[in-house]
Amino acid sequence: MQTNPAHTSLVAVGDSFTEGMSDLLPDGSYRGWADLLAARMAARTPGFRYANLAVRGKLIGQIVEEQVGVAAAMGADVITLVGGLNDTLRPKCDMGRVKGLLTEAVEQLAPACKQLVLMRSPGRQGPVLERFRPRMEELFDCVEELAARHDAVVVDLYGAPALGDPRLWDVDRLHLTAEGHRRVAEAVWQALGYEAEDPDWHVAPPPALPPGWVARRVADVRFTRQHLLPWIGRRLTGRSSGDGRPAKRPELLPYLMDTSE
């Protein structure tokens, strides 16, 4: 890996994780790790271009169908691909199909850029992670195999203690907070060969007193009403939170620095 490279363009492909939920900005839009990474790369390289094709709720088949070909045609220096985790969280999941589609995506994207970046996605510690851990780890084994075969970089977020800490996850228990996204951006930054700004990004925050029983029950009720029940409703009706939603940054254009980043 080249040290302190000068990449001129970045295309991000994926779902809500790459779209930036739940790193909410004052205007109601989401920022997220990919935007933060693009801002840092743009600060080093005049004319740096960035596209983010990610859309929340997308399954790996939708990512392949809707995003991969578009990303490959852009000819960017760096492409990031994170997908398949939404599939593993479905009650019925054909892991053979998921891995086949991920392989198809990598085979299209790797030759179309100078550096493909894959990830072992983070997982919040708790019962949900434990239930789906075997599927997730099967997906991550596939990621490692594909990276070795296609000379891609793998960013290990799954193995980072900080990103398993519930305090770095939003109230929906599915998406990282702003601090979580900052740490992911740092991890990808370092994986691409840039000098570390936060060498301890993977270290968990200092221990804190756990919330009391009442506070935990209030949080559980809020989570169930605002997030879990709507999520179950979408699964039962075949809907997705990303239905009809356009890509975040559909064109590879010069990245304009934002004072909020």
Side-chain angles (χ1 to χ4, degrees), residues 20-214:
M21 296 174 72
S22 290
D23 185 7
L24 190 64
L25 294 173
D27 65 359
S29 65
Y30 292 106
R31 180 176 52 182
W33 66 266
D35 283 13
L36 292 169
L37 177 65
R40 290 170 68 168
M41 297 171 78
R44 296 175 58 95
T45 307
F48 181 84
R49 297 176 300 151
Y50 171 50
N52 189 326
L53 307 180
V55 178
R56 67 195 69 172
K58 294 299 182 182
L59 302 174
I60 186 62
Q62 294 169 311
I63 291 172
V64 170
E65 181 179 353
E66 301 167 11
Q67 300 179 32
V68 168
V70 176
M74 289 180 172
D77 282 356
V78 178
I79 298 177
T80 66
L81 167 64
V82 188
L85 203 61
N86 282 336
D87 298 78
T88 69
L89 299 177
R90 295 296 177 104
K92 295 181 179 180
C93 174
D94 181 345
M95 286 303 299
R97 180 175 182 273
V98 171
K99 292 187 291 183
L101 287 165
L102 183 62
T103 299
E104 181 181 338
V106 170
E107 289 176 347
Q108 288 189 58
L109 293 175
C113 64
K114 293 181 179 178
Q115 184 61 67
L116 178 63
V117 177
L118 306 175
M119 297 189 196
R120 287 162 49 91
S121 304
R124 182 184 187 274
Q125 295 299 325
V128 173
L129 175 63
E130 291 309 313
R131 178 181 177 185
F132 296 105
R133 187 186 296 275
R135 290 179 182 175
M136 293 170 62
E137 294 186 348
E138 185 176 352
L139 177 68
F140 299 155
D141 287 344
C142 180
V143 166
E144 295 281 4
E145 293 169 4
L146 289 170
R149 196 182 312 157
H150 296 277
D151 198 26
V153 169
V154 177
V155 182
D156 184 14
L157 306 175
Y158 181 69
L163 296 178
D165 192 313
R167 290 172 292 175
L168 268 66
W169 292 76
D170 192 48
V171 294
D172 67 1
R173 305 181 185 181
L174 287 174
H175 301 105
L176 292 171
T177 62
E179 173 61 14
H181 281 283
R182 182 197 68 79
R183 291 178 185 242
V184 172
E186 176 68 28
V188 182
W189 173 263
Q190 292 182 29
L192 285 170
Y194 294 100
E195 184 176 356
E197 295 187 12
D198 177 11
D200 297 325
W201 68 267
H202 58 286
V203 178
L209 290 175
W213 184 90
V214 172

Side-chain angles (χ1 to χ4, degrees), residues 11 50-54 70-71 74 246-253:
V11 176
Y50 171 50
N52 189 326
L53 307 180
V70 176
M74 289 180 172
K248 183 176 184 178
R249 294 173 180 261
E251 298 181 75
L252 187 60
L253 297 174

Side-chain angles (χ1 to χ4, degrees), residues 218-254:
V218 169
D220 288 343
V221 170
R222 179 186 177 191
F223 162 71
T224 300
R225 183 178 65 251
Q226 297 184 1
H227 302 288
L228 180 59
L229 292 178
W231 183 85
I232 292 173
R234 290 194 296 271
R235 298 292 80 76
L236 293 175
T237 58
R239 293 178 293 117
S240 167
S241 57
D243 287 348
R245 185 174 294 274
K248 183 176 184 178
R249 294 173 180 261
E251 298 181 75
L252 187 60
L253 297 174

